[in-house]
Amino acid sequence: MPDPQSPAPRRTPLTSVHQSLGATLTDFAGWLMPLRYGSETAEHNAVRSAAGLFDLSHMGELMVTGQDAAAALDYALVGELSALRPGRARYTMICAADGGVIDDLIVYRLAEHEFLVVANASNAHAVATQLTDRAGGRDAVVTDRTDDYALIAIQGPRAAGILARLTDADLQQVRYYASYPAAVAGCQVLLARTGYTGEDGFEIFTEPQDADRVWQALTEAGAGDGLVPAGLAARDTLRLEAGMPLYGNELGPDVTPFDAGLGRVVKLDKPGDFVGRAALAERAQAPPTRVLAGLVGQSRRVPRHGYSVLRDGEPCGTVTSGAPSPTLGKPIAMAYLTAQAAEADSGEGLAVDIRGSAEPAILVQLPFYRRPS
């Protein structure tokens, strides 16, 4: 039963729309979010073949402004945000002094001294606190702007064609990981070519009062193209197929970016110090003790988060994310394995302990899916 002492989950500007569509709603990171509208497999397949529409208004939006905003972010984050040009975005992380991941982020440079930091909903407060602390002594102000935005994503091979009917932006000029002020359905938005599905697509930052109008306009524009609303369940299987990490599964305070195979986001050669530099520099030189790997199950049983991975009957790792893959037609999982078990020629003898049964699995390179070029 729900804890009567717990606060009610926050509603997004689109909650009433989801209710009218018959969505199954769930409390996710303190927000009332659509889990699915009908069949999560059908929603997943629609994104792979046509387009899906997502409400991402639970994400945290933090604005960092001031003459020293770029320098503050260079110190606070593992990436070199001062090298980012206005209008571009970058995937990065905020780490603790020991190199553990506090959150993974997308940072948009909106202007010379203005950055938009998008954090995971469960971590937004912690990220805001850390950014504020790390900006101390600089001309940089961190402002939580989460309540000032609704965030809608349209993802899939037909996303650009659908969106083009509603915007004044030349979408052919909107590069991947770029953002532009634009009009969509007559509303002023920040339009970004980013996403979390492995497909082409866009994320649209709107004012809360415009969210319903933009959502309905996209729904109508995509009606003949197979566009469907999609919930958190489909978003999770899409990102898993695309090999994208999820905080709390593949990422966390006991994981460094190097453990997750994302050492490329750590800019050890950028000027000046940053939080976690020493620990991450040491980790970069050390041989890996665990490796994030992909597994494809060879039975119908599905590996799930926390299940043990076995090699010749002995534990060699732990599943971080697992689900049936609608695209592959088989169960898939990401797992942290010992370096020896993750070697390409050591895939023989791997299995996942699924409720006492050793279900065979094969080792594959991530991601499981790449969209056709």
Side-chain angles (χ1 to χ4, degrees):
M1 294 181 63
D3 183 351
Q5 302 301 316
S6 298
R10 298 174 65 181
R11 297 164 62 95
T12 82
L14 291 165
T15 300
S16 61
V17 173
H18 306 317
Q19 291 172 327
S20 71
L21 292 170
T24 299
L25 299 173
T26 187
D27 184 341
F28 180 78
W31 291 81
L32 191 62
M33 297 296 295
L35 182 64
R36 65 179 67 84
Y37 297 84
S39 162
E40 61 199 64
T41 300
E43 293 167 22
H44 177 113
N45 290 334
V47 175
R48 289 279 181 255
S49 63
L53 199 57
F54 299 83
D55 179 9
L56 306 182
S57 302
H58 62 305
M59 300 294 282
E61 286 89 12
L62 310 170
M63 200 70 73
V64 183
T65 56
Q67 292 289 324
D68 296 336
L73 289 172
D74 278 355
Y75 175 72
L77 309 180
V78 301
E80 189 175 1
L81 283 306
S82 59
L84 196 62
R85 297 192 304 275
R88 299 309 304 272
R90 182 161 296 166
Y91 175 77
T92 187
M93 298 183 190
I94 183 168
C95 289
D98 64 0
V101 178
I102 296 171
D103 201 12
D104 62 333
L105 313 163
I106 294 182
V107 178
Y108 300 85
R109 191 170 197 168
L110 305 183
E112 187 68 19
H113 305 300
E114 183 179 11
F115 295 80
L116 175 64
V117 178
V118 179
N120 286 296
S122 58
N123 297 329
H125 178 72
V127 172
T129 299
Q130 288 292 328
L131 288 178
T132 300
D133 289 347
R134 297 177 189 191
R138 293 181 171 87
D139 179 8
V141 177
V142 179
T143 308
D144 188 339
R145 297 283 302 278
T146 302
D147 290 342
D148 297 334
Y149 288 101
L151 180 55
I152 297 169
I154 180 169
Q155 301 279 301
R158 298 181 184 172
I162 294 168
L163 181 58
R165 300 166 192 153
L166 299 172
T167 182
D168 60 349
D170 181 356
L171 299 184
Q172 292 185 339
Q173 300 301 313
V174 181
R175 300 167 62 186
Y176 190 51
Y177 268 69
S179 65
Y180 293 84
V184 173
C187 302
Q188 293 302 308
V189 307
L190 179 68
L191 181 63
R193 200 163 203 153
T194 46
Y196 193 51
T197 63
E199 298 294 340
D200 186 24
F202 300 84
E203 294 181 324
I204 305 167
F205 296 83
T206 80
E207 294 188 9
Q209 64 269 25
D210 293 335
D212 188 288
R213 179 175 174 179
V214 171
W215 178 281
Q216 298 296 352
L218 287 165
T219 299
E220 293 170 10
D225 290 284
L227 174 74
V228 303
L232 292 175
R235 190 166 182 253
D236 190 52
T237 52
L238 290 159
R239 71 92 195 165
L240 175 56
E241 287 185 350
M244 295 178 170
L246 175 66
Y247 193 89
N249 292 39
E250 289 73 42
L251 300 174
D254 60 340
V255 176
T256 73
F258 293 98
D259 295 324
L262 294 167
R264 65 183 182 276
V265 309
V266 181
K267 302 304 179 185
L268 292 169
D269 58 348
K270 66 179 176 178
D273 196 14
F274 65 91
V275 178
R277 176 193 278 277
L280 290 169
E282 182 179 348
R283 175 63 185 83
Q285 297 301 316
T289 58
R290 55 180 170 175
V291 177
L292 185 62
L295 299 173
V296 176
Q298 299 303 289
S299 73
R300 296 179 63 86
R301 302 190 71 184
V302 180
R304 298 292 186 184
H305 175 79
Y307 287 8
S308 292
V309 182
L310 311 173
R311 185 186 181 200
D312 298 326
E314 296 297 322
C316 67
T318 305
V319 172
T320 54
S321 296
S325 166
T327 304
L328 275 64
K330 295 180 179 181
I332 60 173
M334 288 195 282
Y336 277 112
L337 306 180
T338 63
Q340 183 180 16
E343 291 175 0
D345 60 352
S346 69
E348 293 295 325
L350 284 179
V352 180
D353 183 348
I354 302 180
R355 299 180 180 178
S357 176
E359 301 293 336
I362 60 171
L363 193 66
V364 300
Q365 285 193 336
L366 294 171
F368 301 98
Y369 166 86
R370 292 184 189 274
R371 72 174 182 262
S373 56

